[in-house]
Amino acid sequence: MRFLRKTLALLTGALLLSMAAAQAEEVVDLGGSFLGNGRALLNKPAGKARAGLVLLTGGDGYVGIGADGSVARNGNWIVRTRAAYLRSGIASITLDGGADPAKAVEYMRGIAPRVIVVAMSRGALKVADTLAARPDGIVFASSILDGARGMIGDPGRLPPTLIIHHRQDSCRLTLPDSAVAFQQWTGGKARLIWIDGGSSTGDPCQARAYHGFIGREGQVVSAITSFAGSLR
């Protein structure tokens, strides 16, 4: 009986956490293409947000956010874990492909004292467009860093930067050597965190591979949370 009560309590707690996350989420229109993909999903903690994250997904960037908040493509880790930052008092906004990243930074300024852009894989190619909005930090996760470097141009434009990369990432566009080269290019401005282990299946550039941090999502979320907390 005691075990049953404990189990029910844990299930109830998990359900309440899930409901709290769902209640906190709202659809925001950041303006976008004529296809109407300028939507974003906003998650805010109950109290004052410690920081705000602008989440840029990989691939073509389109996750299919509906007017009702539904998500057609939620396999990407950055989409799956979008509400995980709430328990640390951090707000996040997850962008669909047509949403304006710079506008998202400005929007989050009204919610949190510090705004960090988190870019997954091909989402890194949008980071240069956010710099005019002066984010307080940048996180590159499994990012296409050679392409991002060319678009940023001068590492002096970057705010404090964190690189999170899987040591076994075998995607040809995001090989581990590119993370080392990018860190060196920044002249020490960027810190590099390596992720190991987890599981990997299918296309090495897709969400179920090491590239997508399968089984290591918690470590990535923790690294981003710690980085956000370190900014002043």
Side-chain angles (χ1 to χ4, degrees):
M1 182 64 70
R2 183 181 301 172
F3 175 78
L4 180 59
R5 285 199 299 266
K6 187 175 181 181
T7 301
L8 287 173
L10 289 172
L11 289 173
T12 301
L15 178 60
L16 289 174
L17 180 61
S18 176
M19 289 173 62
Q23 290 169 353
E25 190 162 75
E26 61 183 277
V27 179
V28 176
D29 189 351
L30 293 174
S33 69
F34 68 94
L35 296 175
N37 290 306
R39 296 190 185 106
L41 289 175
L42 175 66
N43 281 275
K44 292 191 298 184
K48 183 176 175 57
R50 295 172 48 224
L53 307 179
V54 175
L55 304 178
L56 306 177
T57 65
D60 60 11
Y62 288 93
V63 295
I65 297 174
D68 60 352
S70 60
V71 180
R73 299 162 63 182
N74 57 9
N76 191 289
W77 76 267
I78 213 168
V79 179
R80 295 197 315 271
T81 61
R82 65 187 183 275
Y85 305 96
L86 290 175
R87 67 193 65 152
S88 299
I90 296 176
S92 70
I93 190 164
T94 307
L95 275 58
D96 215 333
D100 184 340
K103 192 171 181 179
V105 173
E106 295 167 357
Y107 182 88
M108 293 301 280
R109 286 263 177 239
I111 293 173
R114 290 171 295 281
V115 181
I116 299 98
V117 174
V118 181
M120 169 68 181
S121 193
R122 194 173 295 277
L125 304 183
K126 298 179 180 180
V127 166
D129 294 334
T130 72
L131 298 180
R134 302 183 66 82
D136 299 282
I138 303 290
V139 177
F140 291 105
S142 293
S143 286
I144 301 179
L145 293 169
D146 291 341
R149 180 169 60 181
M151 299 178 82
I152 293 166
D154 179 0
R157 299 179 65 203
L158 287 171
T161 299
L162 177 66
I163 305 165
I164 306 174
H165 220 84
H166 202 294
R167 287 189 190 275
Q168 286 78 50
D169 191 338
S170 58
C171 176
R172 63 184 179 81
L173 297 174
T174 58
L175 295 174
D177 286 349
S178 67
V180 176
F182 188 90
Q183 184 190 33
Q184 293 173 343
W185 174 72
T186 68
K189 178 174 287 189
R191 185 161 62 98
L192 175 57
I193 291 180
W194 292 108
I195 302 295
D196 288 288
S199 64
S200 183
T201 56
D203 188 328
C205 295
Q206 295 299 317
R208 304 305 300 177
Y210 288 128
H211 182 74
F213 302 120
I214 298 299
R216 293 294 182 266
E217 295 92 341
Q219 290 183 19
V220 179
V221 168
S222 179
I224 294 170
T225 299
S226 296
F227 175 70
S230 72
L231 299 177
R232 295 291 183 268

